[in-house]
Amino acid sequence: MIKSKALFRAFPPKDPYLIGVSGGRDSIALLHSLVDLGYKNLIICHLDHQMRGRSSATDARFVEKLAARYNVDFAIESANVRALAKKMSIETAAREARYSFFAKVAKRRKCRTIFIAHHADDLVETFLINLFRGAGSTGLSGMREVTTRRVNDVDLTIVRPLLGVWRSDIDKYVRKRRLKFREDASNKNLAPLRNRIRRRIIPYLEKTLGRNIRQNIWRTATIMSEEENFFETLLPEKLSNLTALAVEPLRKMSLAVQRRMLHKWLRAADVADIGFDLVERVRALLDVTNRVAKTNLPQDRHVRRRAGQIFIEL
């Protein structure tokens, strides 16, 4: 099912890896596929989001038994996502909680690479979500097969082996092998934007246009991802480790480079929901004639300009 041979060369099966397993069909298919390909030194990571009562606890027990069956390590933690969501969307809170947990396990187990079960349909949905939010090319490149995210002082390498695999192919894989999985009833809830895009918007567009648009969107997102990878190599590597940026050198750069620099800097600081408006508010601080020298960030943080530098503080 996993199509990228280059991925296996970059991440040899003999090495240890984390793998995020929710218990749903996507992560179950990824786990089975990796074990089948010889990845025996895995550490299953499961976060109980405490959002579905007994179902969440049952998910956790299911994944724990699965780890025992495959004879791989198991790490579990709980997070009150609803409480965290008071300052952000429920989807963002759940994502931030998961990656915080992954980083904690990565640090404890001294293993900084994690496999995630995002697939081709996820990439298409993320592209549309970012498009509707007015994201630039960085946001539209969406998920990448391999990326590094700094979380709580941990540089976590995130690997998505299924980005070229469609949900329908995963369904066939699971049925053919009679794999058991946990069905998340919340996927049918149309309140989250992703679910509305998946269950309403994409089918409507395909019916109206009379064609399957998923493949074209996936191809566009993939091309943009490859281009973003190239542009990333042109930016200073040390940027990810800087707590402050000098204003004057940034002011002399082109508008496009300013935006890319600031986006990468904010992402390295683990700032959530980085969109066009946020980057533009931070970029406005480069104008030293602007009397406003501070702009707010999510999670009660902000960027401030002082003494010829901009920096993030609580």
Side-chain angles (χ1 to χ4, degrees), residues 97-241:
R98 282 195 300 274
Y99 280 103
S100 179
F101 165 56
F102 295 156
K104 188 182 300 183
V105 177
K107 191 171 185 178
R108 186 167 65 239
R109 298 298 187 96
K110 297 181 180 179
C111 178
R112 305 299 173 94
T113 301
I114 183 165
F115 289 110
I116 300 293
H118 292 138
H119 49 72
D121 291 273
D122 289 325
L123 180 60
V124 170
E125 293 157 11
T126 299
F127 179 93
L128 290 175
I129 288 171
N130 290 338
L131 177 66
F132 297 154
R133 286 174 175 169
S137 57
T138 301
L140 292 179
S141 66
M143 302 169 181
R144 306 183 197 180
E145 194 170 60
V146 181
T147 189
T148 300
R149 176 174 176 175
R150 190 164 184 81
V151 185
N152 301 336
D153 298 324
V154 174
D155 289 324
L156 193 63
T157 298
I158 302 162
V159 185
R160 300 179 174 93
L162 302 183
L163 271 192
V165 181
W166 296 96
R167 185 179 288 115
S168 57
D169 295 324
I170 293 174
D171 289 342
K172 292 175 185 176
Y173 183 91
V174 169
R175 284 198 302 270
K176 182 177 180 180
R177 289 156 182 81
R178 298 181 180 179
L179 301 179
K180 294 182 179 179
F181 60 90
R182 293 284 297 167
E183 194 73 68
D184 187 350
S186 66
N187 287 333
K188 297 179 181 179
N189 179 6
L190 294 180
L193 176 59
R194 181 177 293 275
N195 287 356
R196 295 200 301 276
I197 287 175
R198 176 185 305 164
R199 306 179 74 88
R200 291 288 187 267
I201 295 175
I202 293 178
Y204 172 78
L205 289 173
E206 290 185 333
K207 182 179 180 179
T208 303
L209 297 175
R211 67 181 67 182
N212 185 340
I213 64 171
R214 288 177 172 86
Q215 184 66 47
N216 290 337
I217 295 175
W218 179 89
R219 186 181 298 115
T220 300
T222 300
I223 291 171
M224 297 189 77
S225 176
E226 292 165 350
E227 291 180 352
E228 281 301 308
N229 285 337
F230 167 72
F231 287 121
E232 283 275 330
T233 64
L234 303 181
L235 298 179
E237 185 63 33
K238 65 178 181 179
L239 188 65
S240 300
N241 301 317

Side-chain angles (χ1 to χ4, degrees), residues 245-253 286 288 308-309:
L245 295 178
V247 170
E248 196 55 34
L250 267 173
R251 278 168 49 86
K252 295 177 180 179
M253 296 177 183
L286 302 180
V288 294
Q309 292 187 319

Side-chain angles (χ1 to χ4, degrees), residues 61-74:
R61 289 194 297 271
F62 172 78
V63 176
E64 186 174 13
K65 290 178 181 178
L66 200 63
R69 187 185 312 156
Y70 283 119
N71 193 29
V72 297
D73 286 343
F74 178 65

